[in-house]
Coordinates of all heavy atoms in Angstrom, one line a residue:
M2 N -4.9 -0.6 16.4 CA -4.2 -1.4 15.4 C -4.1 -0.6 14.1 O -5.2 -0.2 13.5 CB -4.9 -2.7 15.2 CG -4.1 -3.6 14.2 SD -2.6 -4.3 14.9 CE -1.8 -5.0 13.5
I3 N -2.9 -0.3 13.6 CA -2.8 0.5 12.4 C -2.6 -0.5 11.2 O -1.8 -1.4 11.3 CB -1.5 1.4 12.5 CG1 -1.7 2.4 13.6 CG2 -1.3 2.1 11.2 CD1 -0.4 3.1 14.0
S4 N -3.4 -0.2 10.2 CA -3.3 -1.1 9.0 C -2.3 -0.5 8.1 O -2.3 0.6 7.7 CB -4.7 -1.1 8.4 OG -4.6 -1.8 7.1
M5 N -1.4 -1.4 7.6 CA -0.4 -1.0 6.6 C -0.3 -2.0 5.5 O 0.7 -2.5 5.2 CB 0.9 -0.8 7.3 CG 0.9 0.4 8.2 SD 2.6 0.9 8.7 CE 3.0 -0.5 9.6
R6 N -1.5 -2.4 5.0 CA -1.6 -3.5 4.1 C -1.2 -3.0 2.7 O -0.6 -3.7 1.9 CB -3.0 -4.0 4.1 CG -3.1 -5.4 3.5 CD -4.6 -5.9 3.6 NE -5.5 -5.0 2.9 CZ -5.7 -5.1 1.6 NH1 -5.2 -6.1 0.9 NH2 -6.6 -4.3 0.9
T7 N -1.6 -1.8 2.4 CA -1.4 -1.3 1.0 C -0.3 -0.2 1.0 O 0.1 0.3 2.0 CB -2.7 -0.6 0.4 OG1 -3.0 0.5 1.2 CG2 -3.8 -1.6 0.5
I8 N 0.1 0.1 -0.2 CA 1.2 1.1 -0.4 C 0.8 2.5 0.1 O 1.5 3.1 0.8 CB 1.5 1.2 -1.9 CG1 2.3 0.0 -2.4 CG2 2.3 2.5 -2.3 CD1 2.5 -0.2 -3.9
E9 N -0.5 2.8 -0.1 CA -1.0 4.1 0.4 C -1.0 4.1 2.0 O -0.6 5.1 2.6 CB -2.4 4.4 -0.1 CG -2.9 5.7 0.3 CD -4.0 6.2 -0.7 OE1 -4.7 5.4 -1.3 OE2 -4.1 7.4 -0.9
E10 N -1.4 3.0 2.6 CA -1.4 3.0 4.1 C 0.0 3.1 4.6 O 0.3 3.8 5.6 CB -2.1 1.7 4.5 CG -3.6 1.7 4.4 CD -4.2 0.4 4.5 OE1 -3.5 -0.7 4.5 OE2 -5.4 0.3 4.5
L11 N 0.9 2.4 4.0 CA 2.3 2.5 4.4 C 2.9 3.9 4.3 O 3.5 4.4 5.2 CB 3.1 1.6 3.4 CG 4.5 1.0 3.9 CD1 4.3 0.0 5.0 CD2 5.2 0.4 2.7
H12 N 2.5 4.6 3.2 CA 3.0 5.9 3.0 C 2.4 6.9 4.0 O 3.1 7.8 4.5 CB 2.6 6.4 1.6 CG 3.2 7.7 1.2 ND1 4.6 7.9 1.2 CD2 2.6 8.8 0.8 CE1 4.8 9.2 0.8 NE2 3.6 9.7 0.6
S13 N 1.1 6.7 4.3 CA 0.4 7.6 5.2 C 0.9 7.4 6.7 O 0.8 8.3 7.5 CB -1.1 7.4 5.1 OG -1.4 6.2 5.7
Q14 N 1.5 6.3 7.0 CA 2.1 6.1 8.3 C 3.6 6.4 8.3 O 4.3 6.1 9.3 CB 1.9 4.6 8.7 CG 0.5 4.2 8.8 CD -0.3 4.9 9.8 OE1 0.2 5.4 10.8 NE2 -1.6 5.2 9.5
N15 N 4.1 7.1 7.3 CA 5.4 7.6 7.2 C 6.5 6.4 7.2 O 7.6 6.6 7.5 CB 5.8 8.5 8.3 CG 5.0 9.8 8.2 OD1 4.9 10.4 7.1 ND2 4.5 10.3 9.3
H16 N 6.0 5.2 6.8 CA 6.9 4.1 6.6 C 7.5 4.2 5.2 O 6.9 4.8 4.3 CB 6.2 2.8 6.8 CG 6.0 2.4 8.2 ND1 5.4 3.2 9.1 CD2 6.4 1.3 8.9 CE1 5.4 2.6 10.3 NE2 6.0 1.4 10.2
T17 N 8.7 3.6 5.0 CA 9.2 3.5 3.7 C 9.4 2.1 3.3 O 9.4 1.2 4.1 CB 10.6 4.2 3.6 OG1 11.4 3.7 4.6 CG2 10.5 5.7 3.8
L18 N 9.6 1.9 2.0 CA 9.8 0.5 1.5 C 11.2 0.4 0.9 O 11.4 1.0 -0.2 CB 8.7 0.2 0.5 CG 8.6 -1.3 0.0 CD1 8.3 -2.2 1.2 CD2 7.6 -1.5 -1.0
A19 N 12.0 -0.2 1.6 CA 13.4 -0.3 1.1 C 13.5 -1.5 0.1 O 12.7 -2.5 0.3 CB 14.4 -0.6 2.3
L20 N 14.3 -1.4 -0.9 CA 14.4 -2.4 -1.9 C 15.8 -2.8 -2.0 O 16.8 -2.0 -1.9 CB 13.9 -1.8 -3.3 CG 12.5 -1.2 -3.3 CD1 12.3 -0.5 -4.6 CD2 11.5 -2.3 -3.0
Y21 N 16.0 -4.1 -2.2 CA 17.4 -4.6 -2.2 C 17.6 -5.6 -3.4 O 16.8 -6.5 -3.5 CB 17.7 -5.4 -0.9 CG 19.1 -6.0 -0.9 CD1 20.2 -5.2 -1.0 CD2 19.2 -7.4 -0.9 CE1 21.5 -5.8 -1.0 CE2 20.5 -8.0 -0.9 CZ 21.6 -7.2 -0.9 OH 22.8 -7.7 -1.0
C22 N 18.5 -5.3 -4.2 CA 18.8 -6.2 -5.3 C 20.0 -7.2 -4.9 O 21.1 -6.7 -4.6 CB 19.2 -5.4 -6.6 SG 19.6 -6.5 -8.0
L23 N 19.7 -8.4 -4.9 CA 20.7 -9.4 -4.6 C 21.8 -9.5 -5.6 O 23.0 -9.6 -5.2 CB 20.1 -10.8 -4.5 CG 19.3 -11.2 -3.2 CD1 18.5 -12.5 -3.5 CD2 20.3 -11.4 -2.1
S24 N 21.5 -9.4 -6.9 CA 22.5 -9.5 -7.9 C 23.5 -8.3 -7.9 O 24.7 -8.5 -8.0 CB 21.8 -9.5 -9.3 OG 20.9 -10.5 -9.4
C25 N 23.0 -7.1 -7.6 CA 23.8 -5.9 -7.6 C 24.3 -5.6 -6.2 O 25.2 -4.7 -6.1 CB 23.1 -4.7 -8.2 SG 22.4 -5.0 -9.8
N26 N 23.8 -6.2 -5.2 CA 24.1 -5.9 -3.8 C 23.9 -4.4 -3.6 O 24.7 -3.7 -3.1 CB 25.6 -6.3 -3.5 CG 25.9 -6.2 -2.0 OD1 25.0 -6.3 -1.2 ND2 27.1 -5.9 -1.6
R27 N 22.7 -3.9 -4.0 CA 22.4 -2.5 -3.9 C 21.1 -2.3 -3.2 O 20.1 -2.9 -3.5 CB 22.3 -2.0 -5.4 CG 22.3 -0.5 -5.5 CD 22.4 -0.1 -7.0 NE 21.3 -0.5 -7.8 CZ 20.1 0.1 -7.9 NH1 19.9 1.3 -7.3 NH2 19.2 -0.4 -8.7
W28 N 21.0 -1.3 -2.3 CA 19.8 -0.9 -1.7 C 19.2 0.3 -2.4 O 19.9 1.2 -2.8 CB 20.1 -0.5 -0.2 CG 20.2 -1.7 0.7 CD1 21.4 -2.3 1.1 CD2 19.1 -2.4 1.3 NE1 21.1 -3.3 1.9 CE2 19.7 -3.5 2.1 CE3 17.7 -2.3 1.2 CZ2 19.0 -4.4 2.8 CZ3 17.0 -3.3 1.9 CH2 17.6 -4.3 2.7
G29 N 17.9 0.4 -2.4 CA 17.2 1.6 -2.8 C 15.9 1.8 -2.0 O 15.6 1.0 -1.1
V30 N 15.2 2.8 -2.3 CA 13.9 3.0 -1.7 C 12.8 3.2 -2.7 O 13.0 3.9 -3.7 CB 14.0 4.3 -0.7 CG1 12.6 4.5 -0.1 CG2 15.1 4.1 0.3
A31 N 11.7 2.6 -2.5 CA 10.5 2.7 -3.4 C 10.0 4.1 -3.3 O 9.9 4.7 -2.2 CB 9.5 1.7 -3.1
D32 N 9.6 4.7 -4.4 CA 9.0 6.1 -4.5 C 7.5 5.9 -4.3 O 6.7 5.8 -5.2 CB 9.3 6.7 -5.8 CG 8.9 8.2 -5.8 OD1 8.2 8.6 -4.9 OD2 9.4 8.9 -6.7
L33 N 7.1 5.8 -3.0 CA 5.7 5.5 -2.7 C 4.7 6.6 -3.2 O 3.7 6.3 -3.7 CB 5.5 5.3 -1.2 CG 6.3 4.1 -0.6 CD1 6.1 4.1 0.9 CD2 6.0 2.8 -1.2
A34 N 5.2 7.9 -3.0 CA 4.3 9.0 -3.5 C 4.0 8.9 -5.0 O 2.9 9.1 -5.4 CB 5.0 10.3 -3.2
R35 N 5.0 8.5 -5.8 CA 4.8 8.4 -7.2 C 3.9 7.2 -7.5 O 3.1 7.3 -8.4 CB 6.2 8.2 -7.9 CG 6.1 8.4 -9.4 CD 7.5 8.5 -10.0 NE 8.3 7.3 -9.8 CZ 8.3 6.3 -10.6 NH1 7.6 6.3 -11.7 NH2 9.1 5.2 -10.4
L36 N 4.1 6.1 -6.8 CA 3.3 4.9 -7.0 C 1.8 5.3 -6.8 O 0.9 4.8 -7.5 CB 3.7 3.8 -6.1 CG 5.0 3.1 -6.5 CD1 5.5 2.2 -5.4 CD2 4.9 2.3 -7.8
I37 N 1.5 6.0 -5.7 CA 0.2 6.4 -5.4 C -0.4 7.3 -6.4 O -1.5 7.2 -6.9 CB 0.2 7.1 -4.0 CG1 0.5 6.0 -2.9 CG2 -1.2 7.7 -3.7 CD1 0.9 6.6 -1.5
Q38 N 0.5 8.3 -6.9 CA 0.0 9.2 -8.0 C -0.3 8.4 -9.2 O -1.2 8.8 -10.0 CB 1.2 10.1 -8.4 CG 1.1 11.4 -7.7 CD 2.3 12.3 -8.0 OE1 3.0 12.1 -8.9 NE2 2.6 13.3 -7.2
N39 N 0.4 7.3 -9.5 CA 0.1 6.5 -10.7 C -1.0 5.5 -10.4 O -1.2 4.6 -11.2 CB 1.4 5.7 -11.0 CG 2.5 6.6 -11.5 OD1 2.2 7.8 -11.9 ND2 3.7 6.2 -11.6
G40 N -1.8 5.6 -9.3 CA -2.9 4.8 -9.1 C -2.6 3.4 -8.5 O -3.4 2.5 -8.5
K41 N -1.4 3.2 -7.9 CA -1.0 2.0 -7.3 C -1.2 2.0 -5.8 O -0.8 1.0 -5.2 CB 0.5 1.7 -7.7 CG 0.8 1.7 -9.1 CD 0.6 0.4 -9.8 CE 0.7 0.5 -11.3 NZ 2.0 0.9 -11.7
G42 N -1.8 3.0 -5.3 CA -1.9 3.1 -3.8 C -2.7 2.0 -3.2 O -2.5 1.7 -2.0
D43 N -3.7 1.4 -3.9 CA -4.5 0.4 -3.3 C -3.8 -1.0 -3.4 O -4.3 -2.0 -2.9 CB -5.8 0.3 -4.1 CG -6.7 1.4 -3.8 OD1 -6.5 2.1 -2.8 OD2 -7.6 1.7 -4.6
K44 N -2.7 -1.1 -4.0 CA -2.0 -2.3 -4.2 C -1.4 -2.8 -2.9 O -0.7 -2.1 -2.2 CB -0.9 -2.2 -5.2 CG -0.5 -3.5 -5.9 CD 0.5 -3.2 -7.1 CE 0.9 -4.4 -7.7 NZ -0.2 -5.2 -8.3
P45 N -1.7 -4.1 -2.5 CA -1.1 -4.6 -1.3 C 0.4 -4.7 -1.4 O 0.9 -5.0 -2.5 CB -1.7 -6.1 -1.2 CG -2.9 -6.1 -2.1 CD -2.6 -5.0 -3.1
V46 N 1.1 -4.3 -0.4 CA 2.6 -4.2 -0.4 C 3.2 -5.6 -0.7 O 4.1 -5.7 -1.5 CB 3.1 -3.7 1.0 CG1 4.6 -3.8 1.0 CG2 2.6 -2.3 1.2
T47 N 2.5 -6.6 -0.2 CA 3.1 -8.0 -0.5 C 3.0 -8.4 -1.9 O 3.7 -9.2 -2.4 CB 2.3 -9.0 0.4 OG1 0.9 -8.8 0.2 CG2 2.6 -8.9 1.9
E48 N 2.1 -7.7 -2.7 CA 1.9 -8.1 -4.1 C 2.7 -7.2 -5.0 O 2.8 -7.5 -6.2 CB 0.4 -8.1 -4.5 CG -0.4 -9.2 -3.9 CD -1.8 -9.1 -4.3 OE1 -2.2 -8.4 -5.2 OE2 -2.7 -9.7 -3.6
A49 N 3.2 -6.1 -4.5 CA 4.0 -5.2 -5.3 C 5.3 -5.8 -5.7 O 6.0 -6.4 -4.9 CB 4.2 -3.9 -4.6
R50 N 5.6 -5.6 -7.0 CA 6.9 -6.1 -7.5 C 7.7 -5.0 -8.0 O 7.2 -4.1 -8.7 CB 6.6 -7.1 -8.7 CG 5.9 -8.4 -8.3 CD 6.9 -9.4 -7.8 NE 6.2 -10.7 -7.4 CZ 5.6 -10.9 -6.3 NH1 5.5 -9.9 -5.4 NH2 5.0 -12.0 -6.0
F51 N 9.0 -5.0 -7.7 CA 9.9 -3.9 -8.1 C 11.1 -4.6 -8.8 O 11.6 -5.6 -8.4 CB 10.4 -3.1 -6.9 CG 9.3 -2.4 -6.2 CD1 8.6 -2.9 -5.1 CD2 8.9 -1.1 -6.6 CE1 7.6 -2.3 -4.5 CE2 7.8 -0.4 -6.0 CZ 7.2 -1.0 -4.9
R52 N 11.5 -3.9 -9.9 CA 12.6 -4.5 -10.6 C 13.8 -3.5 -10.5 O 13.7 -2.3 -10.4 CB 12.3 -4.6 -12.1 CG 11.5 -5.8 -12.4 CD 11.3 -6.0 -13.9 NE 10.4 -7.1 -14.2 CZ 10.8 -8.4 -14.2 NH1 12.1 -8.6 -14.1 NH2 10.0 -9.3 -14.5
C53 N 15.0 -4.1 -10.4 CA 16.2 -3.4 -10.3 C 16.4 -2.5 -11.6 O 16.2 -3.0 -12.7 CB 17.4 -4.3 -10.1 SG 19.0 -3.5 -10.1
R54 N 16.8 -1.3 -11.4 CA 17.0 -0.4 -12.5 C 18.2 -0.8 -13.4 O 18.3 -0.6 -14.5 CB 17.3 1.0 -12.0 CG 16.0 1.8 -11.8 CD 16.4 3.2 -11.4 NE 17.3 3.2 -10.2 CZ 17.5 4.2 -9.4 NH1 16.8 5.3 -9.6 NH2 18.3 4.1 -8.4
D55 N 19.2 -1.5 -12.7 CA 20.4 -1.8 -13.4 C 20.3 -3.2 -14.1 O 20.7 -3.3 -15.2 CB 21.6 -1.9 -12.4 CG 21.9 -0.5 -11.8 OD1 21.4 0.5 -12.5 OD2 22.5 -0.4 -10.8
C56 N 19.8 -4.2 -13.4 CA 19.9 -5.6 -14.0 C 18.5 -6.1 -14.3 O 18.4 -7.1 -15.0 CB 20.6 -6.5 -13.0 SG 19.7 -6.9 -11.5
G57 N 17.4 -5.5 -13.8 CA 16.1 -5.9 -14.2 C 15.6 -7.1 -13.3 O 14.5 -7.6 -13.6
E58 N 16.3 -7.5 -12.3 CA 15.9 -8.6 -11.4 C 14.8 -8.1 -10.5 O 14.7 -6.9 -10.2 CB 17.1 -9.1 -10.6 CG 18.1 -9.9 -11.3 CD 17.7 -11.3 -11.6 OE1 17.1 -11.9 -10.7 OE2 18.0 -11.7 -12.7
I59 N 13.9 -9.0 -10.1 CA 12.9 -8.7 -9.1 C 13.7 -8.5 -7.7 O 14.5 -9.4 -7.4 CB 11.9 -9.8 -8.9 CG1 11.1 -10.0 -10.2 CG2 10.9 -9.5 -7.8 CD1 10.1 -9.0 -10.5
V60 N 13.5 -7.4 -7.1 CA 14.2 -7.1 -5.9 C 13.5 -7.5 -4.6 O 12.3 -7.6 -4.6 CB 14.6 -5.6 -5.8 CG1 15.5 -5.2 -7.0 CG2 13.4 -4.7 -5.8
E61 N 14.2 -7.6 -3.5 CA 13.7 -7.9 -2.2 C 13.0 -6.6 -1.6 O 13.5 -5.5 -1.9 CB 14.7 -8.4 -1.2 CG 15.5 -9.6 -1.7 CD 14.6 -10.9 -1.5 OE1 13.9 -10.9 -0.6 OE2 14.8 -11.8 -2.4
K62 N 12.0 -6.8 -0.8 CA 11.4 -5.6 -0.2 C 11.5 -5.7 1.4 O 11.5 -6.8 1.9 CB 9.9 -5.6 -0.5 CG 9.6 -5.3 -1.9 CD 8.1 -5.6 -2.2 CE 7.8 -7.1 -2.1 NZ 6.4 -7.4 -2.5
Q63 N 11.6 -4.5 2.0 CA 11.7 -4.5 3.4 C 11.0 -3.2 3.9 O 11.4 -2.1 3.6 CB 13.2 -4.4 3.9 CG 13.4 -4.5 5.4 CD 14.8 -4.4 5.8 OE1 15.4 -3.3 5.7 NE2 15.4 -5.5 6.1
V64 N 9.9 -3.4 4.7 CA 9.2 -2.2 5.3 C 10.0 -1.6 6.4 O 10.4 -2.4 7.3 CB 7.8 -2.7 5.8 CG1 7.1 -1.5 6.5 CG2 6.9 -3.2 4.6
R65 N 10.2 -0.3 6.4 CA 10.9 0.3 7.4 C 10.1 1.4 8.1 O 9.5 2.2 7.5 CB 12.2 1.0 6.8 CG 13.2 0.0 6.3 CD 14.4 0.7 5.9 NE 15.5 -0.3 5.6 CZ 16.6 0.0 5.0 NH1 16.9 1.2 4.7 NH2 17.5 -1.0 4.8
P66 N 10.1 1.4 9.5 CA 9.4 2.4 10.2 C 10.0 3.7 10.1 O 11.2 3.8 9.7 CB 9.5 1.9 11.7 CG 10.6 1.0 11.7 CD 10.8 0.4 10.3
P67 N 9.3 4.8 10.4 CA 9.9 6.2 10.3 C 11.1 6.3 11.2 O 11.2 5.8 12.3 CB 8.7 7.1 10.8 CG 7.6 6.2 11.2 CD 7.9 4.8 11.0
V68 N 12.1 7.0 10.7 CA 13.3 7.3 11.4 C 13.1 8.5 12.3 O 12.6 9.6 11.8 CB 14.5 7.5 10.4 CG1 15.8 7.8 11.2 CG2 14.6 6.3 9.5
P69 N 13.4 8.4 13.6 CA 13.2 9.6 14.4 C 14.1 10.8 13.9 O 15.2 10.5 13.5 CB 13.6 9.2 15.8 CG 13.7 7.7 15.7 CD 13.9 7.3 14.3
S70 N 13.5 12.0 14.0 CA 14.3 13.1 13.5 C 15.5 13.4 14.5 O 15.3 13.1 15.7 CB 13.5 14.3 13.4 OG 13.2 14.9 14.7
L71 N 16.6 13.9 14.0 CA 17.7 14.1 14.9 C 17.4 15.1 16.0 O 18.0 15.1 17.1 CB 18.9 14.6 14.0 CG 19.6 13.5 13.2 CD1 20.6 14.2 12.2 CD2 20.2 12.4 14.0
G72 N 16.5 16.0 15.7 CA 16.2 17.1 16.7 C 15.6 16.5 18.0 O 15.8 17.2 19.0
E73 N 15.0 15.3 17.9 CA 14.5 14.8 19.2 C 15.5 13.9 19.9 O 15.2 13.5 21.0 CB 13.2 13.9 18.8 CG 12.1 14.8 18.3 CD 11.0 13.9 17.6 OE1 11.1 12.7 17.8 OE2 10.2 14.5 16.8
A74 N 16.6 13.6 19.3 CA 17.6 12.7 19.9 C 18.5 13.5 20.8 O 18.8 14.6 20.6 CB 18.4 12.1 18.8
V75 N 18.9 12.8 21.9 CA 19.8 13.4 22.9 C 21.2 12.7 22.6 O 21.3 11.5 22.6 CB 19.4 13.1 24.3 CG1 20.4 13.7 25.3 CG2 18.0 13.7 24.5
A76 N 22.2 13.5 22.4 CA 23.5 13.0 22.1 C 24.2 12.7 23.4 O 24.2 13.5 24.4 CB 24.3 14.0 21.3
Y77 N 24.9 11.6 23.5 CA 25.7 11.3 24.6 C 27.2 11.1 24.1 O 27.4 10.5 23.0 CB 25.3 9.9 25.2 CG 24.0 10.0 26.0 CD1 22.8 9.8 25.3 CD2 24.0 10.4 27.3 CE1 21.6 9.9 25.9 CE2 22.8 10.5 28.0 CZ 21.6 10.2 27.3 OH 20.4 10.3 28.0
I78 N 28.1 11.7 24.8 CA 29.5 11.6 24.4 C 30.3 10.8 25.5 O 30.1 11.1 26.7 CB 30.1 13.0 24.2 CG1 29.4 13.7 23.1 CG2 31.6 12.8 23.9 CD1 29.8 15.1 22.9
Ligands
ZN294 ZN1 20.3 -5.4 -9.8

């Protein structure tokens, strides 16, 4: 069982945290490395709050698993 409770655990498992602003209908990605650098690595993901750069609203969060690299994918035509 892999623990991904905090921002640092999420980052170390190569997951990303997508952010969505309802007001702007805009997707973004949290800069987890920068948050960890700033000492926020221990913060539980569920408690982290992110604000939209454009409108200042609290945005929605969505944990995303790592995307497989294209090199491992087999193309079918
Ligand atoms: Zn916004």
Side-chain angles (χ1 to χ4, degrees):
M2 186 69 193
I3 299 165
S4 172
M5 290 193 297
R6 199 177 63 82
T7 67
I8 286 169
E9 187 156 27
E10 285 165 352
L11 202 69
H12 187 58
S13 68
Q14 300 300 325
N15 293 316
H16 279 56
T17 53
L18 189 62
L20 305 172
Y21 176 67
C22 178
L23 279 169
S24 303
C25 303
N26 191 27
R27 189 172 66 85
W28 281 99
V30 178
D32 190 346
L33 299 180
R35 192 169 61 90
L36 289 168
I37 292 164
Q38 265 177 17
N39 292 343
K41 306 272 172 59
D43 290 342
K44 203 170 178 62
V46 174
T47 50
E48 287 178 20
R50 293 276 182 277
F51 297 92
R52 282 186 183 277
C53 176
R54 274 182 306 202
D55 294 342
C56 69
E58 289 284 317
I59 301 282
V60 299
E61 302 285 325
K62 292 169 292 184
Q63 185 185 75
V64 172
R65 290 187 174 171
V68 179
S70 74
L71 287 173
E73 295 165 13
V75 178
Y77 289 89
I78 299 173

